[in-house]
């Protein structure tokens, strides 16, 4: 099983980034996919979730600025981040959780660093 994040980097306040998480080794279409972030000195927090059925939720201050989407044909989940703020600076990681009845699955990627700074 692999989850590989990409798309992080340095961006100015007000800018945009699109993160991607490429999955392999499990039945991607039947897993709930989530993005988490952890800022320096802070606890990890949930940013957005998209279920296997395609229902999505964005949490907290990211509402209205971030969008989560998935491409089951490409086994990839994306996080489109707009109007970025310095407080969005964090390591962003993707998580996969099985929604298959009777099958356990909970996997993490290593993360990609997003730095919002002028």
């Amino acid at each position: 099983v692999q989850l590989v994040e990409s798309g992080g980097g340095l961006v100015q306040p007000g800018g945009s980034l699109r993160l991607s998480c490429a999955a392999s080794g499990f039945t991607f279409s039947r897993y709930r996919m989530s993005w988490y972030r952890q800022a320096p000195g802070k606890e990890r927090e949930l940013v957005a979730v998209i279920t296997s059925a395609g229902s999505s939720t964005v949490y907290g201050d990211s509402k209205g600025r971030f969008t989560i989407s998935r491409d089951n044909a490409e086994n990839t989940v994306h996080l489109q981040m707009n109007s970025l703020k310095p407080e969005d600076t964090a390591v962003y990681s993707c998580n996969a959780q099985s929604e298959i009845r009777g099958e356990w699955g909970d996997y993490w990627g290593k993360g990609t660093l997003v730095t919002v700074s002028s």
Side-chain angles (χ1 to χ4, degrees), residues 12-29:
Q12 291 188 342
S16 298
L17 279 177
R18 187 187 194 217
L19 305 183
S20 298
C21 173
S24 61
F26 61 96
T27 310
F28 177 81
S29 63

Side-chain angles (χ1 to χ4, degrees), residues 1-3 21 23-36 44 46 48-55 59 68 70 72 77 93-109:
V1 172
Q2 273 197 316
L3 293 172
C21 173
S24 61
F26 61 96
T27 310
F28 177 81
S29 63
R30 300 187 68 185
Y31 274 62
R32 175 187 313 123
M33 300 301 298
S34 304
W35 283 98
Y36 286 78
R44 185 171 59 197
L46 178 62
V49 176
I50 186 163
T51 69
S52 60
S55 175
Y59 295 89
I68 186 171
R70 66 190 298 157
N72 288 340
V77 61
S93 302
C94 69
N95 170 258
Q97 289 190 331
S98 173
E99 292 189 326
I100 303 170
R101 186 181 181 87
E103 177 176 314
W104 180 91
D106 190 349
Y107 309 117
W108 289 89

Side-chain angles (χ1 to χ4, degrees), residues 30-75:
R30 300 187 68 185
Y31 274 62
R32 175 187 313 123
M33 300 301 298
S34 304
W35 283 98
Y36 286 78
R37 68 184 181 188
Q38 186 165 21
K42 295 188 176 181
E43 292 190 356
R44 185 171 59 197
E45 65 173 337
L46 178 62
V47 176
V49 176
I50 186 163
T51 69
S52 60
S55 175
S56 63
T57 305
V58 179
Y59 295 89
D61 183 50
S62 302
K63 282 183 184 179
R65 300 189 297 125
F66 293 5
T67 303
I68 186 171
S69 61
R70 66 190 298 157
D71 183 340
N72 288 340
E74 296 291 332
N75 287 359

